[in-house]
Protein backbone atom coordinates (compact mmCIF):
# COMPACT_ATOMS: atom_id res chain seq x y z
CA UNK A 1 0.00 0.00 0.00
CA UNK A 2 1.28 3.41 -0.93
CA UNK A 3 2.04 5.80 1.90
CA UNK A 4 -0.14 8.86 1.50
CA UNK A 5 0.08 12.23 3.22
CA UNK A 6 -2.79 14.59 3.86
CA UNK A 7 -2.73 17.62 1.58
CA UNK A 8 -2.66 20.64 3.91
CA UNK A 9 -3.71 24.12 2.92
CA UNK A 10 -1.98 26.51 5.29
CA UNK A 11 0.90 28.46 3.82
CA UNK A 12 3.86 28.40 6.17
CA UNK A 13 2.32 25.92 8.61
CA UNK A 14 3.12 22.43 7.29
CA UNK A 15 0.83 19.77 8.66
CA UNK A 16 -1.90 22.15 9.73
CA UNK A 17 -5.15 23.15 8.14
CA UNK A 18 -6.72 26.52 7.52
CA UNK A 19 -9.20 27.24 10.29
CA UNK A 20 -11.76 30.06 10.40
CA UNK A 21 -12.23 32.53 13.25
CA UNK A 22 -15.52 32.43 15.09
CA UNK A 23 -17.29 35.78 15.31
CA UNK A 24 -18.99 37.28 18.32
CA UNK A 25 -19.60 40.73 16.87
CA UNK A 26 -23.23 41.83 16.70
CA UNK A 27 -24.78 44.93 15.14
CA UNK A 28 -25.15 47.73 17.65
CA UNK A 29 -22.38 46.62 20.00
CA UNK A 30 -20.51 49.50 21.65
CA UNK A 31 -16.91 50.23 20.71
CA UNK A 32 -14.71 47.99 22.90
CA UNK A 33 -12.64 49.50 25.67
CA UNK A 34 -8.80 49.24 25.66
CA UNK A 35 -7.61 45.64 25.65
CA UNK A 36 -5.61 45.80 28.93
CA UNK A 37 -8.66 47.20 30.72
CA UNK A 38 -10.88 44.41 29.39
CA UNK A 39 -8.37 41.72 30.36
CA UNK A 40 -8.19 43.12 33.93
CA UNK A 41 -11.96 43.00 34.17
CA UNK A 42 -11.89 39.45 32.87
CA UNK A 43 -9.38 38.55 35.56
CA UNK A 44 -10.98 40.16 38.58
CA UNK A 45 -14.56 41.24 37.93
CA UNK A 46 -17.80 39.62 38.96
CA UNK A 47 -19.63 37.29 36.65
CA UNK A 48 -21.60 40.05 34.93
CA UNK A 49 -18.44 42.14 34.44
CA UNK A 50 -16.55 39.10 33.14
CA UNK A 51 -19.34 38.27 30.69
CA UNK A 52 -19.30 41.79 29.25
CA UNK A 53 -15.50 41.81 29.04
CA UNK A 54 -15.20 38.46 27.29
CA UNK A 55 -17.82 39.45 24.74
CA UNK A 56 -15.96 42.66 23.90
CA UNK A 57 -12.64 40.80 23.72
CA UNK A 58 -14.19 38.27 21.34
CA UNK A 59 -15.27 41.18 19.15
CA UNK A 60 -11.60 42.22 18.93
CA UNK A 61 -10.05 38.80 18.47
CA UNK A 62 -10.02 38.62 14.66
CA UNK A 63 -8.14 41.90 14.20
CA UNK A 64 -6.15 42.10 17.46
CA UNK A 65 -5.42 38.53 18.43
CA UNK A 66 -1.72 39.08 19.09
CA UNK A 67 -2.44 42.06 21.35
CA UNK A 68 -4.94 40.00 23.33
CA UNK A 69 -2.40 37.21 23.80
CA UNK A 70 0.28 39.67 24.93
CA UNK A 71 -2.15 41.25 27.42
CA UNK A 72 -2.68 37.87 29.11
CA UNK A 73 -6.14 37.01 27.77
CA UNK A 74 -5.50 33.24 27.54
CA UNK A 75 -4.62 32.71 31.25
CA UNK A 76 -7.58 34.93 32.17
CA UNK A 77 -9.91 32.79 30.06
CA UNK A 78 -8.54 29.61 31.63
CA UNK A 79 -9.28 31.03 35.09
CA UNK A 80 -12.80 31.96 34.05
CA UNK A 81 -13.48 28.44 32.81
CA UNK A 82 -11.93 26.92 35.93
CA UNK A 83 -14.12 28.98 38.25
CA UNK A 84 -17.21 28.66 36.09
CA UNK A 85 -19.61 31.33 34.91
CA UNK A 86 -22.90 31.76 33.14
CA UNK A 87 -23.38 29.61 30.03
CA UNK A 88 -23.33 32.64 27.72
CA UNK A 89 -20.04 33.88 29.19
CA UNK A 90 -18.46 30.42 29.01
CA UNK A 91 -19.57 30.06 25.40
CA UNK A 92 -18.00 33.42 24.51
CA UNK A 93 -14.85 32.44 26.42
CA UNK A 94 -14.57 29.18 24.47
CA UNK A 95 -14.98 30.97 21.16
CA UNK A 96 -12.34 33.53 22.12
CA UNK A 97 -9.96 30.84 23.38
CA UNK A 98 -10.31 28.95 20.09
CA UNK A 99 -9.59 32.09 18.09
CA UNK A 100 -6.52 32.97 20.16
CA UNK A 101 -5.15 29.43 19.75
CA UNK A 102 -4.56 30.31 16.08
CA UNK A 103 -2.42 33.38 16.78
CA UNK A 104 0.79 31.35 16.92
CA UNK A 105 2.55 28.29 18.30
CA UNK A 106 3.04 29.73 21.79
CA UNK A 107 -0.61 30.80 21.97
CA UNK A 108 -1.74 27.34 20.89
CA UNK A 109 0.43 25.77 23.58
CA UNK A 110 -1.00 28.10 26.22
CA UNK A 111 -4.55 27.35 25.11
CA UNK A 112 -3.79 23.61 25.17
CA UNK A 113 -3.46 23.86 28.95
CA UNK A 114 -7.21 24.47 29.04
CA UNK A 115 -8.09 21.25 27.19
CA UNK A 116 -9.58 19.43 30.22
CA UNK A 117 -11.80 22.43 30.94
CA UNK A 118 -12.85 22.70 27.30
CA UNK A 119 -13.60 18.98 27.05
CA UNK A 120 -15.85 19.23 30.12
CA UNK A 121 -17.98 21.77 28.21
CA UNK A 122 -17.90 19.58 25.10
CA UNK A 123 -19.87 17.02 27.12
CA UNK A 124 -22.47 19.59 28.15
CA UNK A 125 -26.15 19.02 27.40
CA UNK A 126 -26.23 22.67 26.28
CA UNK A 127 -25.57 22.21 22.56
CA UNK A 128 -24.51 25.82 22.05
CA UNK A 129 -21.87 25.44 24.73
CA UNK A 130 -20.84 22.03 23.40
CA UNK A 131 -20.53 23.43 19.86
CA UNK A 132 -18.32 26.31 21.04
CA UNK A 133 -16.18 23.80 22.91
CA UNK A 134 -15.90 21.63 19.79
CA UNK A 135 -14.69 24.61 17.75
CA UNK A 136 -12.19 25.48 20.46
CA UNK A 137 -10.89 21.89 20.55
CA UNK A 138 -10.55 21.89 16.77
CA UNK A 139 -8.34 24.97 16.94
CA UNK A 140 -6.41 24.12 20.10
CA UNK A 141 -5.19 20.75 18.79
CA UNK A 142 -3.34 22.57 16.02
CA UNK A 143 -0.73 23.11 18.75
CA UNK A 144 0.75 19.81 17.61
CA UNK A 145 0.77 16.06 17.92
CA UNK A 146 0.87 16.07 21.71
CA UNK A 147 -2.28 18.18 21.95
CA UNK A 148 -4.06 15.92 19.45
CA UNK A 149 -3.06 12.80 21.31
CA UNK A 150 -4.02 14.30 24.69
CA UNK A 151 -7.45 15.32 23.39
CA UNK A 152 -8.10 11.89 21.87
CA UNK A 153 -6.91 10.15 25.04
CA UNK A 154 -9.30 12.32 27.08
CA UNK A 155 -12.23 11.15 24.95
CA UNK A 156 -12.69 14.19 22.72
CA UNK A 157 -13.75 12.16 19.68
CA UNK A 158 -16.36 10.26 21.68
CA UNK A 159 -17.65 13.54 23.15
CA UNK A 160 -18.07 15.06 19.67
CA UNK A 161 -19.92 11.97 18.45
CA UNK A 162 -22.20 12.02 21.49
CA UNK A 163 -23.05 15.68 20.89
CA UNK A 164 -23.85 14.94 17.26
CA UNK A 165 -26.14 12.08 18.27
CA UNK A 166 -27.93 14.30 20.80
CA UNK A 167 -28.89 17.01 18.34
CA UNK A 168 -25.64 18.59 17.24
CA UNK A 169 -26.20 17.44 13.66
CA UNK A 170 -29.54 19.22 13.41
CA UNK A 171 -28.17 22.75 12.99
CA UNK A 172 -25.77 23.84 10.25
CA UNK A 173 -24.07 26.24 12.70
CA UNK A 174 -23.43 23.42 15.15
CA UNK A 175 -22.34 21.03 12.40
CA UNK A 176 -19.52 23.34 11.35
CA UNK A 177 -17.84 23.31 14.75
CA UNK A 178 -18.25 19.58 15.32
CA UNK A 179 -16.89 18.76 11.85
CA UNK A 180 -13.93 21.10 12.48
CA UNK A 181 -13.14 19.20 15.68
CA UNK A 182 -13.32 15.81 13.97
CA UNK A 183 -11.09 16.97 11.12
CA UNK A 184 -8.24 18.00 13.39
CA UNK A 185 -8.68 15.34 16.05
CA UNK A 186 -8.32 12.62 13.42
CA UNK A 187 -4.90 13.68 12.12
CA UNK A 188 -2.60 10.79 13.03
CA UNK A 189 1.16 11.09 13.15
CA UNK A 190 3.17 7.89 12.66
CA UNK A 191 1.90 4.47 13.67
CA UNK A 192 -1.77 4.44 14.64
CA UNK A 193 -2.41 3.00 18.09
CA UNK A 194 -5.35 0.63 18.72
CA UNK A 195 -7.27 3.30 20.64
CA UNK A 196 -6.74 5.77 17.80
CA UNK A 197 -7.96 3.23 15.27
CA UNK A 198 -11.08 2.72 17.38
CA UNK A 199 -11.67 6.48 17.36
CA UNK A 200 -11.31 6.61 13.58
CA UNK A 201 -13.67 3.69 13.06
CA UNK A 202 -16.26 5.17 15.44
CA UNK A 203 -16.06 8.59 13.77
CA UNK A 204 -16.37 7.35 10.18
CA UNK A 205 -20.19 7.19 9.92
CA UNK A 206 -20.61 10.62 11.52
CA UNK A 207 -17.98 12.20 9.26
CA UNK A 208 -19.66 10.71 6.18
CA UNK A 209 -23.06 11.97 7.34
CA UNK A 210 -21.62 15.49 7.67
CA UNK A 211 -20.53 15.35 4.02
CA UNK A 212 -24.22 15.71 3.15
CA UNK A 213 -24.57 19.01 5.03
CA UNK A 214 -25.75 22.06 3.10
CA UNK A 215 -23.05 24.12 4.87
CA UNK A 216 -19.96 24.54 2.68
CA UNK A 217 -17.56 24.85 5.62
CA UNK A 218 -18.99 21.66 7.13
CA UNK A 219 -18.54 19.85 3.81
CA UNK A 220 -14.91 20.99 3.70
CA UNK A 221 -14.15 19.93 7.28
CA UNK A 222 -16.00 16.62 6.89
CA UNK A 223 -14.19 15.70 3.67
CA UNK A 224 -10.82 16.24 5.35
CA UNK A 225 -12.05 14.33 8.39
CA UNK A 226 -12.74 11.37 6.10
CA UNK A 227 -9.39 11.87 4.34
CA UNK A 228 -7.65 11.78 7.72
CA UNK A 229 -9.47 8.88 9.34
CA UNK A 230 -9.13 6.49 6.39
CA UNK A 231 -5.35 6.72 6.79
CA UNK A 232 -5.79 4.91 10.12
CA UNK A 233 -6.14 1.59 8.30
CA UNK A 234 -8.28 -0.73 6.24
CA UNK A 235 -10.95 -1.12 8.93
CA UNK A 236 -11.63 2.61 9.00
CA UNK A 237 -11.64 2.66 5.19
CA UNK A 238 -14.18 -0.16 5.04
CA UNK A 239 -16.47 1.51 7.59
CA UNK A 240 -16.33 4.83 5.74
CA UNK A 241 -17.11 3.16 2.43
CA UNK A 242 -19.99 1.18 3.96
CA UNK A 243 -21.41 4.44 5.37
CA UNK A 244 -21.66 5.88 1.85
CA UNK A 245 -18.46 7.91 1.62
CA UNK A 246 -17.79 7.14 -2.06
CA UNK A 247 -20.96 8.57 -3.67
CA UNK A 248 -21.00 11.50 -1.24
CA UNK A 249 -17.38 12.41 -2.01
CA UNK A 250 -17.82 11.94 -5.77
CA UNK A 251 -20.79 14.28 -5.65
CA UNK A 252 -18.79 16.97 -3.85
CA UNK A 253 -15.75 16.50 -6.11
CA UNK A 254 -17.96 16.93 -9.19
CA UNK A 255 -20.70 19.30 -8.13
CA UNK A 256 -19.45 21.59 -5.36
CA UNK A 257 -19.07 25.21 -6.35
CA UNK A 258 -16.34 25.65 -3.73
CA UNK A 259 -12.78 24.89 -4.81
CA UNK A 260 -11.64 23.92 -1.31
CA UNK A 261 -14.50 21.43 -0.96
CA UNK A 262 -13.65 19.86 -4.33
CA UNK A 263 -10.01 19.56 -3.32
CA UNK A 264 -10.86 18.03 0.06
CA UNK A 265 -13.26 15.52 -1.50
CA UNK A 266 -10.68 14.58 -4.14
CA UNK A 267 -8.06 14.04 -1.43
CA UNK A 268 -10.39 11.74 0.52
CA UNK A 269 -11.24 9.75 -2.61
CA UNK A 270 -7.56 9.43 -3.46
CA UNK A 271 -6.85 8.02 0.00
CA UNK A 272 -9.73 5.56 -0.32
CA UNK A 273 -8.61 4.47 -3.79
CA UNK A 274 -5.34 3.21 -2.31
CA UNK A 275 -7.42 0.28 -1.01
CA UNK A 276 -7.91 -1.95 -4.06
CA UNK A 277 -11.23 -3.31 -2.89
CA UNK A 278 -12.58 0.20 -2.35
CA UNK A 279 -11.02 1.34 -5.63
CA UNK A 280 -13.23 -1.22 -7.38
CA UNK A 281 -16.24 0.34 -5.66
CA UNK A 282 -15.19 3.79 -6.86
CA UNK A 283 -14.93 2.46 -10.41
CA UNK A 284 -18.44 1.02 -10.12
CA UNK A 285 -19.98 4.35 -9.10
CA UNK A 286 -21.32 6.72 -11.79
CA UNK A 287 -18.54 9.19 -12.51
CA UNK A 288 -16.00 7.18 -10.50
CA UNK A 289 -13.92 6.08 -13.45
CA UNK A 290 -13.90 9.55 -14.97
CA UNK A 291 -12.75 11.00 -11.65
CA UNK A 292 -9.85 8.55 -11.44
CA UNK A 293 -8.87 9.32 -15.03
CA UNK A 294 -8.57 13.00 -14.20
CA UNK A 295 -6.74 12.24 -10.95
CA UNK A 296 -4.32 10.03 -12.88
CA UNK A 297 -3.24 13.00 -14.94
CA UNK A 298 -3.74 16.01 -12.72
CA UNK A 299 -3.02 14.73 -9.20
CA UNK A 300 0.32 14.88 -7.42
CA UNK A 301 2.76 12.00 -7.82
CA UNK A 302 1.19 9.83 -5.11
CA UNK A 303 -2.35 10.45 -6.30
CA UNK A 304 -1.37 9.68 -9.89
CA UNK A 305 0.08 6.36 -8.77
CA UNK A 306 -3.06 5.55 -6.78
CA UNK A 307 -5.33 6.40 -9.73
CA UNK A 308 -3.22 4.38 -12.16
CA UNK A 309 -3.35 1.37 -9.87
CA UNK A 310 -7.10 1.73 -9.38
CA UNK A 311 -7.81 2.09 -13.11
CA UNK A 312 -5.83 -1.08 -13.78
CA UNK A 313 -8.58 -2.93 -11.93
CA UNK A 314 -11.10 -2.15 -14.65
CA UNK A 315 -11.67 -5.11 -16.95
CA UNK A 316 -10.84 -3.16 -20.08
CA UNK A 317 -7.97 -1.29 -18.43
CA UNK A 318 -7.55 2.46 -18.84
CA UNK A 319 -9.57 3.72 -21.82
CA UNK A 320 -7.78 4.47 -25.06
CA UNK A 321 -8.91 8.07 -24.85
CA UNK A 322 -9.01 9.01 -21.21
CA UNK A 323 -9.83 12.43 -19.86
CA UNK A 324 -7.10 14.71 -21.05
CA UNK A 325 -5.63 17.38 -18.80
CA UNK A 326 -6.44 21.01 -19.27
CA UNK A 327 -3.78 23.20 -20.76
CA UNK A 328 -1.41 24.81 -18.28
CA UNK A 329 -1.92 28.28 -19.75
CA UNK A 330 -5.10 30.01 -18.56
CA UNK A 331 -7.40 31.15 -21.33
CA UNK A 332 -7.66 34.88 -21.86
CA UNK A 333 -11.16 36.19 -21.16
CA UNK A 334 -12.79 38.94 -23.18
CA UNK A 335 -15.71 41.17 -22.37
CA UNK A 336 -19.22 40.00 -23.23
CA UNK A 337 -20.95 41.80 -26.05
CA UNK A 338 -24.41 43.03 -25.23
CA UNK A 339 -26.93 40.35 -26.20
CA UNK A 340 -24.26 37.98 -27.54
CA UNK A 341 -24.26 34.24 -26.94
CA UNK A 342 -21.53 32.61 -24.91
CA UNK A 343 -19.26 30.51 -27.10
CA UNK A 344 -16.43 28.06 -26.43
CA UNK A 345 -12.92 28.15 -27.82
CA UNK A 346 -13.83 25.57 -30.48
CA UNK A 347 -15.88 28.25 -32.27
CA UNK A 348 -12.95 30.64 -32.57
CA UNK A 349 -11.18 28.90 -35.46
CA UNK A 350 -12.41 29.52 -38.98
CA UNK A 351 -12.31 32.00 -41.80
CA UNK A 352 -11.90 35.68 -41.12
CA UNK A 353 -15.02 37.80 -41.06
CA UNK A 354 -14.69 40.00 -44.13
CA UNK A 355 -17.71 42.09 -43.15
CA UNK A 356 -15.90 43.61 -40.22
CA UNK A 357 -14.38 42.72 -36.86
CA UNK A 358 -15.96 39.72 -35.14
CA UNK A 359 -18.19 40.38 -32.14
CA UNK A 360 -16.45 40.22 -28.80
CA UNK A 361 -17.33 37.01 -26.97
CA UNK A 362 -17.02 35.75 -23.43
CA UNK A 363 -15.87 32.19 -22.92
CA UNK A 364 -17.35 30.18 -20.07
CA UNK A 365 -16.57 26.82 -18.54
CA UNK A 366 -17.91 24.00 -20.73
CA UNK A 367 -19.40 22.05 -17.81
CA UNK A 368 -23.21 22.28 -17.73
CA UNK A 369 -24.44 24.68 -15.09
CA UNK A 370 -21.05 26.35 -14.56
CA UNK A 371 -20.81 30.02 -15.47
CA UNK A 372 -17.16 30.63 -14.54
CA UNK A 373 -15.41 32.91 -17.04
CA UNK A 374 -11.94 33.32 -15.53
CA UNK A 375 -8.99 30.96 -15.19
CA UNK A 376 -10.24 28.68 -17.97
CA UNK A 377 -7.91 26.05 -19.41
CA UNK A 378 -8.23 24.09 -22.63
CA UNK A 379 -8.82 20.36 -22.86
CA UNK A 380 -5.42 19.14 -23.96
CA UNK A 381 -6.91 16.31 -26.03
CA UNK A 382 -8.95 18.36 -28.49
CA UNK A 383 -8.23 22.00 -27.57
CA UNK A 384 -11.92 22.50 -28.27
CA UNK A 385 -13.45 23.15 -24.86
CA UNK A 386 -12.28 24.93 -21.75
CA UNK A 387 -12.88 24.25 -18.08
CA UNK A 388 -12.39 26.13 -14.84
CA UNK A 389 -11.35 23.03 -12.86
CA UNK A 390 -10.69 19.31 -13.00
CA UNK A 391 -13.99 18.71 -11.18
CA UNK A 392 -15.92 20.41 -13.99
CA UNK A 393 -13.97 18.42 -16.57
CA UNK A 394 -14.87 15.19 -14.76
CA UNK A 395 -18.55 16.14 -14.67
CA UNK A 396 -18.63 16.92 -18.40
CA UNK A 397 -16.40 14.06 -19.58
CA UNK A 398 -19.15 11.48 -20.39
CA UNK A 399 -20.82 14.02 -22.67
CA UNK A 400 -17.60 15.48 -24.10
CA UNK A 401 -15.77 12.19 -24.75
CA UNK A 402 -17.31 11.46 -28.22
CA UNK A 403 -16.65 15.01 -29.38
CA UNK A 404 -13.12 14.92 -27.96
CA UNK A 405 -12.37 11.71 -29.88
CA UNK A 406 -13.86 13.14 -33.08
CA UNK A 407 -11.87 16.37 -32.88
CA UNK A 408 -8.66 14.48 -32.15
CA UNK A 409 -9.29 12.16 -35.12
CA UNK A 410 -9.94 15.14 -37.41
CA UNK A 411 -6.76 16.83 -36.19
CA UNK A 412 -4.79 13.65 -36.83
CA UNK A 413 -6.27 13.37 -40.36
CA UNK A 414 -5.35 16.97 -41.14
CA UNK A 415 -1.84 16.36 -39.92
CA UNK A 416 -1.43 13.28 -42.12
CA UNK A 417 -2.89 15.04 -45.15
CA UNK A 418 -0.50 17.94 -44.80
CA UNK A 419 2.45 15.71 -44.01
CA UNK A 420 3.00 17.60 -40.79
CA UNK A 421 2.81 16.72 -37.16
CA UNK A 422 -0.49 16.28 -35.44
CA UNK A 423 -1.22 19.49 -33.52
Amino acid sequence: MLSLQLICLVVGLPGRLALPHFSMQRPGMATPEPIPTLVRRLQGGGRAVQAAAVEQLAQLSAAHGQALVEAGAIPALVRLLRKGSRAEAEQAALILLGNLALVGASAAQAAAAALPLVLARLRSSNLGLASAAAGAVGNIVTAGVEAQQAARAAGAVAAVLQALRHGGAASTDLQENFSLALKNLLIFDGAVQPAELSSAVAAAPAAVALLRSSNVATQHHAAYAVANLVLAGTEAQAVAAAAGAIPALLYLADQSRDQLVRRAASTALGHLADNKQIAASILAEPGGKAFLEVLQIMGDALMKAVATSALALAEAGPPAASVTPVDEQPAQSSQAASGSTFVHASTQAGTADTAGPPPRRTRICAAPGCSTTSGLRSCRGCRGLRYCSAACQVAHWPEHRPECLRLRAEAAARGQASGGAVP
Side-chain angles (χ1 to χ4, degrees):
M1 179 180 293
L2 293 170
S3 174
L4 296 174
Q5 288 184 324
L6 173 67
I7 298 175
C8 293
L9 305 177
V10 168
V11 176
L13 292 177
R16 299 185 185 176
L17 296 166
L19 305 174
H21 276 280
F22 302 103
S23 175
M24 284 293 297
Q25 188 168 4
R26 296 197 301 268
M29 288 185 67
T31 302
E33 297 181 67
I35 289 173
T37 300
L38 292 173
V39 172
R40 284 195 297 273
R41 290 183 179 179
L42 185 60
Q43 292 170 333
R47 289 191 171 188
V49 173
Q50 287 180 329
V54 74
E55 190 164 332
Q56 291 189 65
L57 287 169
Q59 181 183 348
L60 294 166
S61 63
H64 304 283
Q66 184 62 48
L68 267 65
V69 171
E70 293 173 355
I74 291 179
L77 290 169
V78 173
R79 282 194 291 272
L80 183 150
L81 292 172
R82 184 174 292 117
K83 290 181 178 180
S85 187
R86 295 183 299 186
E88 296 82 359
E90 289 195 356
Q91 185 172 340
L94 290 166
I95 291 172
L96 178 55
L97 187 66
N99 285 349
L100 296 181
L102 301 179
V103 169
S106 60
Q109 292 290 346
L115 263 177
L117 300 170
V118 176
L119 292 175
R121 275 71 178 182
L122 182 55
R123 299 182 178 92
S124 171
S125 59
N126 181 325
L127 287 177
L129 189 61
S131 174
V137 168
N139 287 0
I140 288 171
V141 297
T142 63
V145 175
E146 290 183 2
Q148 292 164 351
Q149 292 175 339
R152 287 195 295 264
V157 175
V160 170
L161 298 180
Q162 180 180 0
L164 286 169
R165 287 192 297 269
H166 291 173
S171 163
T172 54
D173 291 336
L174 300 180
Q175 289 173 357
E176 182 175 343
N177 288 347
F178 290 124
S179 61
L180 167 66
L182 285 179
K183 175 183 71 174
N184 289 337
L185 284 168
L186 296 171
I187 297 175
F188 301 107
D189 184 74
V192 179
Q193 302 302 314
E196 294 176 328
L197 174 59
S198 297
S199 294
V201 170
V208 172
L210 289 169
L211 291 172
R212 304 183 181 97
S213 170
S214 60
N215 182 290
V216 172
T218 297
Q219 293 171 353
H220 174 250
H221 297 325
Y224 270 120
V226 173
N228 291 346
L229 70 88
V230 298
L231 293 179
T234 55
E235 185 179 356
Q237 294 163 3
V239 172
I246 295 171
L249 289 167
L250 282 171
Y251 175 83
L252 292 178
D254 287 354
Q255 301 297 325
S256 176
R257 304 292 299 158
D258 186 89
Q259 181 181 1
L260 295 180
V261 172
R262 295 196 302 268
R263 185 183 301 178
S266 297
T267 300
L269 283 166
H271 290 180
L272 282 166
D274 194 34
N275 180 315
K276 293 190 182 299
Q277 184 176 356
I278 296 177
S281 299
I282 295 175
L283 286 165
E285 286 287 336
K289 187 175 182 180
F291 167 79
L292 289 170
E293 288 174 334
V294 170
L295 190 65
Q296 183 184 34
I297 299 171
M298 301 192 67
D300 60 25
L302 287 173
M303 291 298 176
K304 286 179 180 178
V306 167
T308 299
S309 176
L311 286 167
L313 298 175
E315 286 187 16
S322 59
V323 177
T324 49
V326 293
D327 197 358
E328 295 300 324
Q329 296 299 323
Q332 297 297 320
S333 298
S334 58
Q335 298 296 321
S338 176
S340 65
T341 303
F342 289 131
V343 296
H344 296 294
S346 56
T347 64
Q348 284 189 297
T351 58
D353 187 347
T354 57
R360 302 182 71 182
R361 296 160 174 164
T362 297
R363 305 185 186 98
I364 65 172
C365 176
C370 182
S371 58
T372 301
T373 59
S374 61
L376 304 182
R377 296 179 180 179
S378 300
C379 171
R380 195 176 295 172
C382 64
R383 304 286 180 178
L385 298 185
R386 302 190 182 198
Y387 299 93
C388 66
S389 67
C392 278
Q393 190 180 19
V394 168
H396 193 223
W397 176 240
E399 179 181 344
H400 174 53
R401 186 174 186 273
E403 181 186 20
C404 187
L405 293 173
R406 178 181 61 78
L407 292 173
R408 292 172 69 178
E410 290 176 356
R414 288 196 300 270
Q416 292 173 357
S418 64
V422 178

